[in-house]
Amino acid sequence: NGTVIITATAVDKNIVSDNKEIAISSFNQGPTYDYTVSTTDELYTALVNVSAGETIFLNGGDYILTSRISISSSGTSGNEITLPGQTDGTRAKLDFSAMSENSSNRGLSLSGDYWHIKGLDVFGAGDNGMFISGNHNLIEFCTFSENSDTGLQIGNGGSNNTILNCDSFFNADSS
């Protein structure tokens, strides 16, 4: 991206010439995100401040969490809130394994609408890895493993949610 100056000179007698400056800005410099997160504290801050149409990008690595993440803000149709994790190299892992097994210890609790969550690993929650009670959400390319109860559950009126290409394994209460 930048500018270039082109000079044209007539071949006959070199007496007619002109310059033209052209701005070049069509080269994609990669995606831009409203929030780029690398720590648990940054994740909490971004989730509190995010608005419809914005994106929170999670860099790869482990996010050690000791309590539930409640997501109640909502996007809108055509302006969803996007929460992608890094998909090349090390994935973003939400590690709730410090939680005790208890029905109130869900990992992610999504009551908001119009979210697109993609490429996250949800691990070790004391109840559901993710519980969805919101509507019109897309959960894509996520894994839910070693959570108590279930990996992912939809309930309490949650509707019109799409779960696409996700894996759920080794999820169960100890009893």
Side-chain angles (χ1 to χ4, degrees), residues 52-157:
E54 293 185 331
T55 298
I56 302 169
F57 177 77
L58 268 69
N59 282 310
D62 292 345
Y63 295 80
I64 307 301
L65 301 147
T66 57
S67 61
R68 171 192 328 199
I69 294 177
S70 296
I71 301 173
S72 57
S73 58
S74 292
T76 61
S77 179
N79 281 311
E80 64 190 10
I81 298 172
T82 307
L83 179 63
Q86 181 173 322
T87 55
D88 58 335
T90 304
R91 286 172 55 104
K93 178 181 180 182
L94 304 180
D95 186 344
F96 295 95
S97 61
M99 288 179 152
S100 61
E101 183 176 328
N102 185 303
S103 61
S104 64
N105 282 344
R106 293 174 172 151
L108 293 167
S109 182
L110 176 57
S111 59
D113 302 331
Y114 293 101
W115 277 77
H116 182 184
I117 298 175
K118 183 176 182 178
L120 303 183
D121 296 334
V122 180
F123 176 81
D127 193 55
N128 312 116
M130 175 182 271
F131 184 85
I132 302 172
S133 59
N135 307 301
H136 304 285
N137 298 297
L138 171 59
I139 312 302
E140 182 180 12
F141 292 116
C142 293
T143 65
F144 303 91
S145 64
E146 299 183 42
N147 300 286
S148 299
D149 199 353
T150 63
L152 183 144
Q153 184 174 340
I154 301 172
N156 294 351

Side-chain angles (χ1 to χ4, degrees), residues 43-54:
L43 175 58
Y44 283 127
T45 300
L47 288 169
V48 167
N49 293 308
V50 71
S51 299
E54 293 185 331

